[in-house]
Amino acid sequence: MKTLYDPWPWYLAGPIIGIVVPLLLLVGNKRLGVSSTLRHLCAACLPTASLPLFQYNWKKEIWSLYFVAGILIGGVIAGYLFANPAPVEIAPDTILTLRDLGAEPRSPGLLPEQFFSWSTLLTLKGFLLIVVGGFLVGFGTRYAQGCTSGHGIFGLATFQWPSLVAIACFFVGGIIFSHLVLPWILRL
């Protein structure tokens, strides 16, 4: 039972994910990815002739809707039934950085309320972090034709050059943003 409560080590979880990707491709000719599921959902709910992006046979990809539903259900089960009662450990340097920015990390969650809460959403800082940030993630996912997990897990596992470029850009963009833009937003 302890195995269900504790995080799995990278050397166990990583190979499991690494085995699932080629098996899914070899056995079912399916591409592992989550961001494309939103497109399938929109195509199912909004069949329209005016948007060529949604004009395809989404029923052929219905398995991915079940896959994402399983991720959500699994997350709820893991978060509530198998929740680890111990507080989340945050690196001491991260705690000091957050305190310098006027936030106190809370347990058991990782997101400080000073940055991520309903009351903060109505401020400029909250709008930039939650709404603008969410839009940029969605736009970037569509522009890169996939999310970080799709490119990083499936794309690299199948030796796709564009996925390597996308992953490199994700990392460079994340480093630049976290060092130059995020501190400015958090000080607003």
Side-chain angles (χ1 to χ4, degrees):
M1 198 62 168
K2 184 173 172 31
T3 305
L4 295 175
Y5 285 102
D6 292 340
W8 290 5
W10 64 267
Y11 54 82
L12 182 63
I16 290 172
I17 294 170
I19 290 169
V20 167
V21 170
L23 280 177
L24 191 61
L25 187 61
L26 292 172
V27 174
N29 198 24
K30 306 289 186 199
R31 296 174 51 126
L32 180 69
V34 175
S35 60
S36 58
T37 305
L38 181 60
R39 179 179 178 221
H40 306 322
L41 191 60
C42 289
C45 296
L46 305 168
T48 178
S50 62
L51 296 171
L53 179 66
F54 300 137
Q55 293 175 358
Y56 67 98
N57 185 10
W58 62 269
K59 292 178 184 176
K60 192 172 76 172
E61 303 294 331
I62 198 162
W63 71 272
S64 67
L65 298 175
Y66 295 123
F67 178 72
V68 169
I71 290 173
L72 293 173
I73 293 167
V76 169
I77 290 171
Y80 287 104
L81 296 179
F82 299 112
N84 189 340
V88 175
E89 293 183 31
I90 301 174
D93 288 344
T94 303
I95 293 172
L96 291 175
T97 301
L98 287 170
R99 286 188 179 143
D100 287 346
L101 295 169
E104 189 65 37
R106 60 188 170 124
S107 187
L110 293 175
L111 303 174
E113 278 188 43
Q114 293 87 346
F115 304 142
F116 301 98
S117 66
W118 288 108
S119 60
T120 307
L121 178 61
L122 302 175
T123 65
L124 176 62
K125 180 191 320 183
F127 183 80
L128 289 172
L129 286 172
I130 299 169
V131 177
V132 174
F135 172 78
L136 290 174
V137 167
F139 177 81
T141 298
R142 181 67 194 130
Y143 188 72
Q145 297 180 352
C147 61
T148 53
S149 61
H151 281 294
I153 297 170
F154 181 82
L156 292 180
T158 54
F159 303 109
Q160 294 181 25
W161 174 251
S163 290
L164 181 62
V165 172
I167 292 296
C169 290
F170 293 151
F171 274 98
V172 170
I175 290 168
I176 290 170
F177 186 85
S178 64
H179 287 287
L180 298 178
V181 179
L182 187 61
W184 175 79
I185 292 174
L186 295 180
R187 294 189 199 289
L188 288 177

